[in-house]
Amino acid sequence: MGSDPGKIDRLRRKVRLLEEMFEQSSRQAFIDGQRRQLITSLLRLSLHAKNVDQLLQDTLSSLLSCNFLQIENWGAIFLASGDGSLLTLRAHHNFTAGQRRQCSRIRPGQCLCGQAFADREIIFTTSDDPRHTTRFPDMPPHGHYCIPIRAGSRMLGLICLHVPDSLRQEKEDWDMLTTAAGILAGALQRLAYAEELSSYQSHLEQMVEEKIEELRQAENKYRAIFENSLNGIFQTTPAGCFLACNPALARMHGYADPEEMISSVTDIARQLYVNPGDRSRLLELLRQGPVTDYETRMYRKDGSVFRVRMSARMITTAAGGQYMEGTLLDITKRKEAEEKLAEQKERLDVTLRSIGDGVITTDTGGRVVLLNRAAEELTGWSQEEAIGRLLAEVFHTVSEDSGRPCPDPVQRVMEGGRRVCKEHQVLLMARGAGRRHISHSGTPILDSQGNTVGVVLVFSDITRQVLLEAEVIKSKKLESLAVLAGGIAHDFNNILTAILGNLSLIEVSLARERSEISDMARQARKAAVRARDLVRQLQTFAKGGEPIRGAAAIDEIIRESAGFVLRGSQVGVRYHFPPDLWFADIDAGQISQVIQNLVINAKQAMPSGGRLEIACANVTKQGHDPLPLADGLYIRVTVRDQGSGMDDHTLSRIFDPYFTTKATGHGLGLAICHSIIRRHGGYITVTSEPGKGTEFVFYVRATRERPQQSVSSGPARTAARDRVLVMDDDPLVARSTCRMLEHLGFRVTLTGDGREAIKKYAQAMEEGTPYALAIVDLTVPGGMGGEETARELQRLDPEARVVVTSGYSDNPVLASHREHGFAAVLVKPFQVEEVGVILERLMTR
């Protein structure tokens, strides 16, 4: 049979096709087996991994060992931060140092890995992809698999594998890598859950241990309380037998220990209760709920009776049974004390209702506890209405001067812990009975341990006394005013006589020698200076003369002032100044005047000579100190002479204006001292006996600050180059000031009010010829005064130096001129020497 060549060829092709199909099928079966083996390996790793780093490294090694994937021996695994903002390299293979450094942290969207993480999709591409932004020197061509590691919607990290750049994408490889990433995600979550579970377990074990320890401590604590409590503690059956009791309960009933009491008492109602029915009533009450403060009488072992107060409750056990537990307190002594206290209270009520002064007692919260009959009449409140109300509602007082409510005396006593008195200037606003002048005092009520338990307030109606005192004061004021008016008229007439006489002589003597005219001018100026000094003393006494205070060494002021007065006299002085004497917060000029007046008074008291002693001391005034001063630091100055002394009548009027015992005195010196010290916030007093001398003591405020150092005047200035602006509405004063300044070498511009002064000052600045300083009057009727002018000048020129002048020495601006923007003060009337000193000091700064 012959062969058919075409048929044989077809058969051969079929055989080759079958062989290729068999080979492909065998190869696919092998690859599928490798895939299953890889998945099994990854699953085993995910189940048995102990920590994240080992899991990642083993997973990467398994992936790189799969030849069927044609993966090159290079790969990495990154994990995401908690917020997904950063990928951190956690496992890698065949990375160079440079690659580790550049790829240690990748942000979403950075290079291929960051892009796959941000897109949540696998990226399969080559190194030519423009998204491949991280490159290295001599980097060979390669392909990339970037596989996100996801757990649901949460991104956990990314796997990066290198493959040949010629490798084609296979769906099976894609699916297998996705599965591997999913297994890794599950393993990572398992490890996270395991770590969290371990933390919870550790925390739970710690909590259990702490609770066991707390229970152990609580048991010990309650056992200690049970054993050591001073109150009796018990557990009994409803039938009347003891289950347990503590030592205090046994001692309370006269037994040696709990064991003896439990064994001896088998029927509590009959053996312990004086009235067994009290036990039955207690059980009835306990069926309704816990019982507190149940009082009854009980027997001791020896048959004696004592009173008790009991608190108890009924406890139901898990088995349904019941027992009673509670505490017992021996109140025998308390009851006896309460009965005695009730008797004393009754006697006290009778006593309080019999006395004429009003008495109110309050608790520590200021609520009324008791009013006596006099208090009811004075306040208009009955005791029944007032009890429980706040004191301020029943005892409503206001200041006589301001009409404002007075401080709550209960609060003041509670805060200070001491007696509080208020004698005058208090009005009681009685309910329905008008106003009454009263004096009152408050004292804390203390218990036996010294604790404040309330306040007692005692007050008296002094309305009639106040009216009588007002009449007496009015009479004395009228007498003082009469003396004052006569003294002023006398002294001013003398001064004016000297002024007018000298001025008239100047007019008549104009044609005679100049020296005689000059001498008469000097006499006229001395008289004017005396007039100025008297006016200032009157201002200090009357309503003004606010001190311009600052830190000063008061011992230096005393030495200088006393030495000046005693120069050439037969009176010696001895000073007693401590080395650590504080500085005083004073107006040095006014305090110098006080010292001079006191020393003059002492010198006149010792016409034949003697010794004067002046001492200073540091004093801290505190609340308990009776001195009529605010709390703080003070300096006490004592001036003691060896003169003839004074009787009580003279002492009572020593500070009255124009009262004097000397034929040549005008009687203002000590009145001025009193006014100056009072305006300094201080206090002055005097003690004296006939034949034993006199002692003045005054207090002034001390300060921790040091005195300002005086500025050296320096070399003489070329004053002609300095321009001064003067603002004063009085033409005579303005012209007089102008002549003084021109005499001192200044060029002067005069203005009548503040607006004109501001305009002139601004114009001079624009022209480049600014004023060196400005002298402004504080008060300009109908125009802009000095205070507003100074503000505007300093707004134009922050370096402006402004001197304020005024004839009103009581204006507070003068006392605190720097706070109002002024560099210095000139008090009218002033002389050319005073102007020169102040301007020299300002111009040399």
Side-chain angles (χ1 to χ4, degrees):
M1 180 176 175
S3 61
D4 185 350
K7 185 177 181 179
I8 292 171
D9 185 54
R10 285 194 300 274
L11 288 172
R12 286 175 179 167
R13 287 199 299 272
K14 287 180 179 180
V15 169
R16 281 196 300 272
L17 181 60
L18 288 172
E19 288 175 348
E20 288 176 0
M21 290 176 64
F22 179 77
E23 181 181 355
Q24 185 176 359
S25 175
S26 298
R27 181 176 176 275
Q28 186 63 42
F30 173 77
I31 292 174
D32 289 344
Q34 290 290 310
R35 288 193 179 111
R36 286 193 295 273
Q37 185 177 352
L38 175 61
I39 295 300
T40 301
S41 174
L42 293 178
L43 287 172
R44 187 180 298 111
L45 287 174
S46 70
L47 291 174
H48 298 290
K50 299 299 183 183
N51 60 73
V52 172
D53 289 332
Q54 188 62 45
L55 170 67
L56 297 179
Q57 197 64 49
D58 291 347
T59 300
L60 181 60
S61 298
S62 297
L63 290 172
L64 294 178
S65 66
C66 294
N67 295 329
F68 68 89
L69 287 174
Q70 300 186 45
I71 298 174
E72 295 184 350
N73 195 23
W74 190 101
I77 299 179
F78 299 85
L79 291 185
S81 59
D83 59 358
S85 63
L86 188 67
L87 288 169
T88 302
L89 180 65
R90 294 292 296 271
H92 59 85
H93 186 72
N94 276 346
F95 266 47
T96 65
Q99 290 172 333
R100 288 197 300 271
R101 185 168 54 255
Q102 292 196 19
C103 297
S104 62
R105 285 179 175 79
I106 298 174
R107 298 206 173 270
Q110 178 184 347
C111 199
L112 291 174
C113 295
Q115 192 65 47
F117 182 82
D119 294 343
R120 299 169 175 257
E121 295 291 342
I122 296 178
I123 291 179
F124 177 81
T125 187
T126 66
S127 56
D128 295 333
D129 193 311
R131 292 175 295 179
H132 193 326
T133 57
T134 304
R135 298 179 179 275
F136 310 99
D138 302 324
M139 183 176 68
H142 58 275
H144 273 277
Y145 260 119
C146 297
I147 309 103
I149 305 170
R150 293 191 302 177
S153 61
R154 184 183 172 201
M155 297 294 292
L156 303 181
L158 182 125
I159 302 172
C160 177
L161 302 173
H162 278 198
V163 297
D165 63 341
S166 60
L167 181 69
R168 291 182 298 111
Q169 178 179 326
E170 297 290 344
K171 182 178 182 304
E172 292 81 0
D173 295 343
W174 184 289
D175 293 342
M176 200 282 299
L177 291 173
T178 301
T179 301
I183 293 172
L184 180 58
L188 288 172
Q189 283 191 305
R190 181 186 67 79
L191 288 174
Y193 294 153
E195 183 179 358
E196 187 174 357
L197 181 60
S198 176
S199 175
Y200 287 156
Q201 182 177 358
S202 176
H203 181 63
L204 183 60
E205 290 174 353
Q206 183 180 356
M207 287 178 61
V208 170
E209 290 178 0
E210 290 175 354
K211 290 299 180 184
I212 292 173
E213 181 61 27
E214 287 178 7
L215 289 173
R216 187 180 297 112
Q217 292 179 1
E219 181 182 357
N220 293 335
K221 181 175 73 172
Y222 291 128
R223 181 174 298 278
I225 293 173
F226 183 81
E227 296 292 338
N228 300 315
S229 174
L230 298 178
N231 292 343
I233 303 175
F234 61 85
Q235 289 180 341
T236 69
T237 66
C241 294
F242 277 105
L243 298 174
C245 71
N246 70 338
L249 187 74
R251 290 193 300 270
M252 202 179 294
H253 285 82
Y255 292 93
D257 51 49
E259 289 75 15
E260 182 188 1
M261 184 171 184
I262 293 172
S263 62
S264 301
V265 179
T266 57
D267 188 339
I268 294 175
R270 287 192 304 105
Q271 290 179 258
L272 297 184
Y273 279 77
V274 174
N275 182 1
D278 288 350
R279 167 82 175 175
S280 301
R281 281 191 292 273
L282 176 61
L283 291 172
E284 291 176 4
L285 292 173
L286 286 172
R287 293 188 185 97
Q288 303 171 17
V291 175
T292 59
D293 298 334
Y294 184 80
E295 294 186 8
T296 185
R297 294 182 300 157
M298 286 189 167
Y299 290 119
R300 294 189 181 93
K301 180 182 177 181
D302 61 5
S304 60
V305 177
F306 67 106
R307 296 180 178 183
V308 298
R309 177 175 294 163
M310 187 186 315
S311 296
R313 62 177 180 170
M314 195 67 75
I315 303 297
T316 302
T317 65
Q322 286 188 323
Y323 67 90
M324 181 174 65
E325 70 176 12
T327 61
L328 201 71
L329 179 64
D330 185 348
I331 61 171
T332 305
K333 292 183 178 179
R334 181 186 301 177
K335 282 293 184 180
E336 292 173 354
E338 287 175 355
E339 292 169 358
K340 291 180 180 178
L341 186 62
E343 295 175 3
Q344 293 176 356
K345 185 175 183 298
E346 180 64 27
R347 288 196 295 269
L348 179 62
D349 287 344
V350 173
T351 303
L352 288 176
R353 292 190 173 276
S354 302
I355 64 176
D357 289 342
V359 178
I360 301 177
T361 62
T362 73
D363 58 20
T364 54
R367 295 191 178 275
V368 175
V369 176
L370 178 146
L371 276 79
N372 71 342
R373 183 175 288 109
E376 289 178 334
E377 294 175 356
L378 292 173
T379 62
W381 290 81
S382 68
Q383 177 165 286
E384 291 73 18
E385 294 173 316
I387 288 177
R389 296 180 182 270
L390 289 174
L391 178 67
E393 187 177 355
V394 177
F395 186 73
H396 178 43
T397 57
V398 299
S399 170
E400 182 181 358
D401 294 334
S402 64
R404 296 177 180 175
C406 294
D408 185 351
V410 173
Q411 184 177 356
R412 291 180 62 193
V413 171
M414 294 299 296
E415 290 176 352
R418 57 187 176 84
R419 185 169 181 262
V420 174
C421 297
K422 188 70 177 179
E423 296 297 335
H424 301 293
Q425 299 179 335
V426 174
L427 293 175
L428 173 62
M429 311 302 289
R431 188 173 71 162
R435 303 188 302 176
R436 302 174 187 269
H437 291 272
I438 64 167
S439 67
H440 69 271
S441 64
T443 304
I445 302 173
L446 306 178
D447 62 13
S448 57
Q449 283 76 38
N451 300 316
T452 301
V453 296
V455 174
V456 58
L457 188 71
V458 180
F459 55 100
S460 304
D461 185 354
I462 59 169
T463 305
R464 179 178 176 81
Q465 177 185 340
V466 169
L467 294 176
L468 291 175
E469 288 178 354
E471 290 298 323
V472 172
I473 292 171
K474 187 184 299 183
S475 300
K476 286 190 174 182
K477 284 184 177 179
L478 291 173
E479 182 182 349
S480 295
L481 286 175
V483 175
L484 177 63
I488 290 174
H490 177 269
D491 285 352
F492 263 102
N493 281 334
N494 290 343
I495 293 169
L496 290 175
T497 300
I499 294 172
L500 293 176
N502 280 290
L503 291 177
S504 63
L505 288 174
I506 291 173
E507 184 177 3
V508 173
S509 303
L510 279 175
R512 287 192 273 178
E513 297 181 7
R514 290 270 175 200
S515 61
E516 185 178 354
I517 296 175
S518 176
D519 182 64
M520 286 186 286
R522 280 195 300 271
Q523 296 299 322
R525 190 170 78 157
K526 286 182 180 179
V529 168
R530 286 180 58 199
R532 180 194 67 177
D533 292 343
L534 181 58
V535 169
R536 288 182 179 177
Q537 289 188 24
L538 289 173
Q539 284 178 320
T540 300
F541 166 68
K543 68 169 184 175
E546 285 296 327
I548 304 174
R549 296 192 291 188
I554 194 168
D555 52 344
E556 296 178 4
I557 295 172
I558 292 172
R559 290 182 189 274
E560 181 180 344
S561 303
F564 175 77
V565 172
L566 297 176
R567 188 176 295 120
S569 72
Q570 296 180 350
V571 176
V573 61
R574 180 182 298 171
Y575 302 106
H576 303 278
F577 302 143
D580 59 345
L581 185 65
W582 295 329
F583 292 108
D585 183 23
I586 56 174
D587 182 320
Q590 290 191 6
I591 296 301
S592 174
Q593 185 178 353
V594 170
I595 297 298
Q596 290 182 34
N597 287 346
L598 293 179
V599 173
I600 289 173
N601 196 71
K603 184 175 74 171
Q604 292 174 346
M606 298 183 289
S608 302
R611 187 175 71 250
L612 177 65
E613 293 191 6
I614 304 179
C616 290
N618 298 328
V619 175
T620 300
K621 167 65 171 64
Q622 296 178 340
H624 61 273
D625 197 317
L627 280 173
L629 295 169
D631 289 356
L633 304 179
Y634 292 87
I635 296 175
R636 181 180 64 223
V637 180
T638 304
V639 180
R640 185 184 302 110
D641 65 43
Q642 296 177 330
S644 57
M646 292 177 282
D647 56 25
D648 291 341
H649 172 71
T650 304
L651 273 177
S652 66
R653 301 192 61 190
I654 193 67
F655 294 118
D656 287 355
Y658 281 93
F659 172 77
T660 181
T661 59
K662 305 173 183 67
T664 58
H666 52 63
L668 275 179
L670 294 178
I672 296 299
C673 292
H674 186 274
S675 180
I676 289 174
I677 297 301
R678 181 171 55 84
R679 293 187 184 280
H680 274 74
Y683 172 64
I684 184 170
T685 184
V686 57
T687 57
S688 181
E689 290 184 33
K692 294 185 179 181
T694 301
E695 179 181 272
F696 284 91
V697 178
F698 67 85
Y699 297 80
V700 291
R701 281 278 192 181
T703 178
R704 299 292 190 186
E705 298 179 3
R706 301 186 66 84
Q708 295 183 354
Q709 298 297 320
S710 59
V711 180
S712 173
S713 61
R717 299 179 54 85
T718 309
R721 294 179 300 171
D722 295 322
R723 305 178 64 207
V724 178
L725 180 66
V726 175
M727 185 273 286
D728 200 301
D729 63 314
D730 190 324
L732 293 177
V733 175
R735 189 58 195 155
S736 173
T737 305
C738 176
R739 286 180 178 143
M740 293 184 198
L741 292 168
E742 288 174 346
H743 172 75
L744 294 171
F746 291 91
R747 289 180 293 161
V748 183
T749 301
L750 296 178
T751 60
D753 70 357
R755 289 184 176 82
E756 184 182 358
I758 294 167
K759 181 178 179 182
K760 294 280 189 182
Y761 197 96
Q763 182 179 351
M765 290 181 66
E766 292 174 0
E767 294 173 353
T769 56
Y771 290 102
L773 55 84
I775 300 175
V776 298
D777 190 11
L778 182 61
T779 306
V780 177
M784 181 186 290
E787 190 172 357
E788 187 177 355
T789 302
R791 284 198 299 268
E792 294 297 326
L793 290 179
Q794 289 179 342
R795 190 174 289 117
L796 285 174
D797 178 12
E799 301 298 325
R801 290 176 287 190
V802 185
V803 178
V804 62
T805 68
S806 179
Y808 298 101
S809 64
D810 62 328
N811 196 302
V813 173
L814 301 186
S816 55
H817 61 277
R818 295 189 187 279
E819 297 176 8
H820 295 271
F822 295 110
V825 176
L826 278 172
V827 180
K828 296 178 181 178
F830 45 80
Q831 304 179 67
V832 66
E833 293 87 355
E834 297 174 86
V835 178
V837 169
I838 288 180
L839 266 62
E840 179 65 19
R841 174 166 55 85
L842 293 178
M843 302 300 285
T844 53
R845 286 183 178 175

